[in-house]
Amino acid sequence: MTLVIYAGKYGTTERYAQWIAKELRADLYPLYRVTGKTLLRYDTVIYGGAVYNGAIQGIRFLKKHLAELKARRLILFTVGLTMPGDEAAFHAMLDRNLSPEEQEGLRAYHFLGAVRFKKLNPKEKLMLWLLKSSIAKKDRRSPVEADLLEYYNGELDYADKSYVRDLVKEARGGG
């Protein structure tokens, strides 16, 4: 049996978790409804966490229950504004959140998220403003960085169901 758990603030991580759970016919729970005891009922656990300022949402839960999780197939997915394929940025974020020992045997994926500027709290708005200021000084920008400058104070939504394909394949044992 497979369990998909997610933690996020604005719904994009939940959307990805729903797509994955539907494809795998898996149970789906928000992190706040999961206990260590819940994990024991599943062979495969897929954990999705939104990334804010480099921190994976709910990472403490994952770390606290790592022993139980490592006894199962554990797959992590993160959702944020790092471009898929930017392995250096993705691995740097993983390294900030998990030690090399904690990453051992862990399969991890990253999916592009969304930003709804009007929904951000003051701290998040400040962080995004600082990011925007940093991006504005660059000579070369990624497509996401260019969009952040162009649509600042608006909405950006990069969520795409096709991103979950490889994760689903792996969860089925074909990865």
Side-chain angles (χ1 to χ4, degrees):
M1 288 182 37
T2 300
L3 171 64
V4 179
I5 307 166
Y6 63 90
K9 291 184 183 181
Y10 300 111
T12 311
T13 306
E14 179 180 7
R15 219 179 335 158
Y16 279 114
Q18 289 170 341
W19 289 334
I20 293 165
K22 184 176 180 182
E23 286 290 321
L24 295 171
R25 293 186 175 95
D27 291 343
L28 173 69
Y29 291 109
L31 178 60
Y32 68 85
R33 290 194 49 214
V34 177
T35 65
K37 212 174 193 180
T38 308
L39 301 174
L40 301 176
R41 299 192 306 244
Y42 296 91
D43 308 319
T44 300
V45 176
I46 300 170
Y47 182 85
V51 178
Y52 296 100
N53 196 28
I56 302 170
Q57 295 288 289
I59 196 70
R60 284 191 201 133
F61 177 87
L62 193 71
K63 291 173 114 162
K64 178 179 178 184
H65 297 285
L66 208 51
E68 295 100 322
L69 290 167
K70 289 280 186 150
R72 288 146 183 74
R73 177 187 291 156
L74 174 61
I75 302 171
L76 168 71
F77 73 89
T78 59
V79 177
L81 293 179
T82 299
M83 286 293 291
D86 186 344
E87 295 299 317
F90 179 57
H91 288 290
M93 181 272 301
L94 285 177
D95 291 344
R96 279 194 301 275
N97 287 272
L98 297 164
S99 71
E101 296 78 27
E102 292 166 331
Q103 290 183 48
E104 202 170 291
L106 175 70
R107 293 289 296 149
Y109 295 83
H110 178 73
F111 309 137
L112 262 175
V115 178
R116 290 174 182 80
F117 293 88
K118 304 288 187 233
K119 289 186 175 186
L120 301 177
N121 66 39
K123 182 180 176 183
E124 291 166 337
K125 285 180 181 179
L126 173 62
M127 296 304 296
L128 210 52
W129 180 83
L130 291 169
L131 177 60
K132 177 188 159 222
S133 300
S134 169
I135 292 169
K137 295 174 186 172
K138 289 182 166 185
D139 291 330
R140 300 181 72 166
R141 300 177 185 114
S142 74
V144 171
E145 291 171 334
D147 285 350
L148 275 170
L149 290 180
E150 185 173 345
Y151 298 103
Y152 189 78
N153 282 329
E155 289 190 15
L156 296 170
D157 190 345
Y158 298 102
D160 186 332
K161 188 177 180 181
S162 70
Y163 288 146
V164 305
R165 235 180 261 134
D166 289 342
L167 184 154
V168 167
K169 184 178 176 185
E170 175 154 346
R172 286 185 175 141

PDB file of all heavy atoms in Angstrom, residues 76-95:
ATOM      1  N   LEU A  76      10.617  11.440  -1.854  1.00  0.00           N
ATOM      2  CA  LEU A  76      10.376  12.826  -1.473  1.00  0.00           C
ATOM      3  C   LEU A  76      10.145  13.649  -2.727  1.00  0.00           C
ATOM      4  O   LEU A  76      10.841  13.464  -3.723  1.00  0.00           O
ATOM      5  CB  LEU A  76      11.597  13.377  -0.727  1.00  0.00           C
ATOM      6  CG  LEU A  76      11.659  14.886  -0.482  1.00  0.00           C
ATOM      7  CD1 LEU A  76      10.621  15.304   0.565  1.00  0.00           C
ATOM      8  CD2 LEU A  76      13.055  15.293  -0.040  1.00  0.00           C
ATOM      9  N   PHE A  77       9.159  14.547  -2.675  1.00  0.00           N
ATOM     10  CA  PHE A  77       9.078  15.551  -3.727  1.00  0.00           C
ATOM     11  C   PHE A  77       8.945  16.919  -3.083  1.00  0.00           C
ATOM     12  O   PHE A  77       8.350  17.072  -2.027  1.00  0.00           O
ATOM     13  CB  PHE A  77       7.959  15.275  -4.749  1.00  0.00           C
ATOM     14  CG  PHE A  77       6.547  15.503  -4.275  1.00  0.00           C
ATOM     15  CD1 PHE A  77       5.935  16.749  -4.403  1.00  0.00           C
ATOM     16  CD2 PHE A  77       5.814  14.461  -3.735  1.00  0.00           C
ATOM     17  CE1 PHE A  77       4.623  16.951  -3.998  1.00  0.00           C
ATOM     18  CE2 PHE A  77       4.500  14.648  -3.328  1.00  0.00           C
ATOM     19  CZ  PHE A  77       3.906  15.897  -3.461  1.00  0.00           C
ATOM     20  N   THR A  78       9.594  17.874  -3.709  1.00  0.00           N
ATOM     21  CA  THR A  78       9.530  19.252  -3.240  1.00  0.00           C
ATOM     22  C   THR A  78       8.869  20.094  -4.326  1.00  0.00           C
ATOM     23  O   THR A  78       8.883  19.742  -5.503  1.00  0.00           O
ATOM     24  CB  THR A  78      10.931  19.809  -2.921  1.00  0.00           C
ATOM     25  OG1 THR A  78      11.743  19.749  -4.098  1.00  0.00           O
ATOM     26  CG2 THR A  78      11.593  19.042  -1.785  1.00  0.00           C
ATOM     27  N   VAL A  79       8.278  21.196  -3.881  1.00  0.00           N
ATOM     28  CA  VAL A  79       7.593  22.099  -4.804  1.00  0.00           C
ATOM     29  C   VAL A  79       8.077  23.504  -4.510  1.00  0.00           C
ATOM     30  O   VAL A  79       8.033  23.961  -3.361  1.00  0.00           O
ATOM     31  CB  VAL A  79       6.059  22.017  -4.632  1.00  0.00           C
ATOM     32  CG1 VAL A  79       5.355  23.014  -5.547  1.00  0.00           C
ATOM     33  CG2 VAL A  79       5.562  20.592  -4.888  1.00  0.00           C
ATOM     34  N   GLY A  80       8.571  24.181  -5.528  1.00  0.00           N
ATOM     35  CA  GLY A  80       9.070  25.534  -5.346  1.00  0.00           C
ATOM     36  C   GLY A  80       9.400  26.166  -6.683  1.00  0.00           C
ATOM     37  O   GLY A  80       8.995  25.670  -7.732  1.00  0.00           O
ATOM     38  N   LEU A  81      10.169  27.220  -6.637  1.00  0.00           N
ATOM     39  CA  LEU A  81      10.457  27.973  -7.857  1.00  0.00           C
ATOM     40  C   LEU A  81      11.810  27.671  -8.478  1.00  0.00           C
ATOM     41  O   LEU A  81      12.229  28.347  -9.408  1.00  0.00           O
ATOM     42  CB  LEU A  81      10.313  29.471  -7.590  1.00  0.00           C
ATOM     43  CG  LEU A  81       8.882  29.908  -7.287  1.00  0.00           C
ATOM     44  CD1 LEU A  81       8.822  31.399  -7.021  1.00  0.00           C
ATOM     45  CD2 LEU A  81       7.942  29.527  -8.407  1.00  0.00           C
ATOM     46  N   THR A  82      12.497  26.652  -7.975  1.00  0.00           N
ATOM     47  CA  THR A  82      13.733  26.217  -8.628  1.00  0.00           C
ATOM     48  C   THR A  82      13.356  25.514  -9.921  1.00  0.00           C
ATOM     49  O   THR A  82      12.425  24.717  -9.949  1.00  0.00           O
ATOM     50  CB  THR A  82      14.511  25.243  -7.718  1.00  0.00           C
ATOM     51  OG1 THR A  82      14.845  25.911  -6.517  1.00  0.00           O
ATOM     52  CG2 THR A  82      15.772  24.741  -8.394  1.00  0.00           C
ATOM     53  N   MET A  83      14.081  25.828 -10.975  1.00  0.00           N
ATOM     54  CA  MET A  83      13.805  25.208 -12.269  1.00  0.00           C
ATOM     55  C   MET A  83      14.085  23.703 -12.218  1.00  0.00           C
ATOM     56  O   MET A  83      15.137  23.293 -11.721  1.00  0.00           O
ATOM     57  CB  MET A  83      14.700  25.819 -13.359  1.00  0.00           C
ATOM     58  CG  MET A  83      14.313  27.207 -13.789  1.00  0.00           C
ATOM     59  SD  MET A  83      12.742  27.284 -14.650  1.00  0.00           S
ATOM     60  CE  MET A  83      13.138  26.449 -16.172  1.00  0.00           C
ATOM     61  N   PRO A  84      13.153  22.877 -12.693  1.00  0.00           N
ATOM     62  CA  PRO A  84      13.465  21.451 -12.819  1.00  0.00           C
ATOM     63  C   PRO A  84      14.704  21.299 -13.705  1.00  0.00           C
ATOM     64  O   PRO A  84      14.866  22.022 -14.683  1.00  0.00           O
ATOM     65  CB  PRO A  84      12.217  20.878 -13.509  1.00  0.00           C
ATOM     66  CG  PRO A  84      11.122  21.840 -13.160  1.00  0.00           C
ATOM     67  CD  PRO A  84      11.789  23.190 -13.116  1.00  0.00           C
ATOM     68  N   GLY A  85      15.561  20.399 -13.332  1.00  0.00           N
ATOM     69  CA  GLY A  85      16.797  20.217 -14.082  1.00  0.00           C
ATOM     70  C   GLY A  85      17.964  21.011 -13.521  1.00  0.00           C
ATOM     71  O   GLY A  85      19.106  20.754 -13.868  1.00  0.00           O
ATOM     72  N   ASP A  86      17.704  21.965 -12.623  1.00  0.00           N
ATOM     73  CA  ASP A  86      18.785  22.712 -11.980  1.00  0.00           C
ATOM     74  C   ASP A  86      19.267  21.874 -10.792  1.00  0.00           C
ATOM     75  O   ASP A  86      18.914  22.125  -9.649  1.00  0.00           O
ATOM     76  CB  ASP A  86      18.308  24.093 -11.526  1.00  0.00           C
ATOM     77  CG  ASP A  86      19.433  24.967 -10.990  1.00  0.00           C
ATOM     78  OD1 ASP A  86      20.521  24.424 -10.683  1.00  0.00           O
ATOM     79  OD2 ASP A  86      19.216  26.187 -10.863  1.00  0.00           O
ATOM     80  N   GLU A  87      20.036  20.848 -11.128  1.00  0.00           N
ATOM     81  CA  GLU A  87      20.473  19.875 -10.123  1.00  0.00           C
ATOM     82  C   GLU A  87      21.296  20.512  -9.005  1.00  0.00           C
ATOM     83  O   GLU A  87      21.171  20.126  -7.849  1.00  0.00           O
ATOM     84  CB  GLU A  87      21.252  18.738 -10.787  1.00  0.00           C
ATOM     85  CG  GLU A  87      20.412  17.896 -11.720  1.00  0.00           C
ATOM     86  CD  GLU A  87      19.257  17.199 -11.023  1.00  0.00           C
ATOM     87  OE1 GLU A  87      19.451  16.654  -9.920  1.00  0.00           O
ATOM     88  OE2 GLU A  87      18.141  17.223 -11.583  1.00  0.00           O
ATOM     89  N   ALA A  88      22.120  21.480  -9.336  1.00  0.00           N
ATOM     90  CA  ALA A  88      22.951  22.119  -8.309  1.00  0.00           C
ATOM     91  C   ALA A  88      22.077  22.809  -7.275  1.00  0.00           C
ATOM     92  O   ALA A  88      22.288  22.643  -6.066  1.00  0.00           O
ATOM     93  CB  ALA A  88      23.913  23.117  -8.951  1.00  0.00           C
ATOM     94  N   ALA A  89      21.092  23.562  -7.710  1.00  0.00           N
ATOM     95  CA  ALA A  89      20.202  24.265  -6.776  1.00  0.00           C
ATOM     96  C   ALA A  89      19.371  23.266  -5.975  1.00  0.00           C
ATOM     97  O   ALA A  89      19.178  23.427  -4.764  1.00  0.00           O
ATOM     98  CB  ALA A  89      19.299  25.239  -7.528  1.00  0.00           C
ATOM     99  N   PHE A  90      18.879  22.217  -6.653  1.00  0.00           N
ATOM    100  CA  PHE A  90      18.068  21.207  -5.981  1.00  0.00           C
ATOM    101  C   PHE A  90      18.876  20.484  -4.899  1.00  0.00           C
ATOM    102  O   PHE A  90      18.429  20.338  -3.766  1.00  0.00           O
ATOM    103  CB  PHE A  90      17.507  20.225  -7.008  1.00  0.00           C
ATOM    104  CG  PHE A  90      16.666  19.131  -6.420  1.00  0.00           C
ATOM    105  CD1 PHE A  90      15.551  19.424  -5.650  1.00  0.00           C
ATOM    106  CD2 PHE A  90      16.977  17.802  -6.641  1.00  0.00           C
ATOM    107  CE1 PHE A  90      14.755  18.413  -5.109  1.00  0.00           C
ATOM    108  CE2 PHE A  90      16.197  16.786  -6.114  1.00  0.00           C
ATOM    109  CZ  PHE A  90      15.088  17.093  -5.346  1.00  0.00           C
ATOM    110  N   HIS A  91      20.089  20.061  -5.234  1.00  0.00           N
ATOM    111  CA  HIS A  91      20.919  19.348  -4.257  1.00  0.00           C
ATOM    112  C   HIS A  91      21.366  20.266  -3.120  1.00  0.00           C
ATOM    113  O   HIS A  91      21.477  19.822  -1.972  1.00  0.00           O
ATOM    114  CB  HIS A  91      22.090  18.652  -4.938  1.00  0.00           C
ATOM    115  CG  HIS A  91      21.649  17.464  -5.715  1.00  0.00           C
ATOM    116  ND1 HIS A  91      21.194  16.313  -5.128  1.00  0.00           N
ATOM    117  CD2 HIS A  91      21.532  17.269  -7.053  1.00  0.00           C
ATOM    118  CE1 HIS A  91      20.839  15.451  -6.058  1.00  0.00           C
ATOM    119  NE2 HIS A  91      21.034  16.005  -7.239  1.00  0.00           N
ATOM    120  N   ALA A  92      21.600  21.537  -3.408  1.00  0.00           N
ATOM    121  CA  ALA A  92      21.949  22.485  -2.345  1.00  0.00           C
ATOM    122  C   ALA A  92      20.785  22.624  -1.368  1.00  0.00           C
ATOM    123  O   ALA A  92      20.984  22.655  -0.146  1.00  0.00           O
ATOM    124  CB  ALA A  92      22.315  23.845  -2.941  1.00  0.00           C
ATOM    125  N   MET A  93      19.559  22.671  -1.889  1.00  0.00           N
ATOM    126  CA  MET A  93      18.382  22.760  -1.022  1.00  0.00           C
ATOM    127  C   MET A  93      18.229  21.481  -0.196  1.00  0.00           C
ATOM    128  O   MET A  93      17.975  21.534   1.004  1.00  0.00           O
ATOM    129  CB  MET A  93      17.136  23.016  -1.879  1.00  0.00           C
ATOM    130  CG  MET A  93      15.832  23.150  -1.097  1.00  0.00           C
ATOM    131  SD  MET A  93      14.988  21.587  -0.797  1.00  0.00           S
ATOM    132  CE  MET A  93      14.717  21.014  -2.449  1.00  0.00           C
ATOM    133  N   LEU A  94      18.417  20.321  -0.826  1.00  0.00           N
ATOM    134  CA  LEU A  94      18.347  19.066  -0.073  1.00  0.00           C
ATOM    135  C   LEU A  94      19.405  19.035   1.027  1.00  0.00           C
ATOM    136  O   LEU A  94      19.123  18.625   2.164  1.00  0.00           O
ATOM    137  CB  LEU A  94      18.537  17.862  -1.000  1.00  0.00           C
ATOM    138  CG  LEU A  94      17.373  17.479  -1.901  1.00  0.00           C
ATOM    139  CD1 LEU A  94      17.760  16.303  -2.797  1.00  0.00           C
ATOM    140  CD2 LEU A  94      16.130  17.150  -1.104  1.00  0.00           C
ATOM    141  N   ASP A  95      20.626  19.474   0.707  1.00  0.00           N
ATOM    142  CA  ASP A  95      21.717  19.476   1.685  1.00  0.00           C
ATOM    143  C   ASP A  95      21.437  20.413   2.856  1.00  0.00           C
ATOM    144  O   ASP A  95      21.894  20.162   3.969  1.00  0.00           O
ATOM    145  CB  ASP A  95      23.042  19.854   1.023  1.00  0.00           C
ATOM    146  CG  ASP A  95      23.552  18.778   0.072  1.00  0.00           C
ATOM    147  OD1 ASP A  95      23.066  17.623   0.139  1.00  0.00           O
ATOM    148  OD2 ASP A  95      24.427  19.096  -0.762  1.00  0.00           O
TER     149      ASP A  95
END
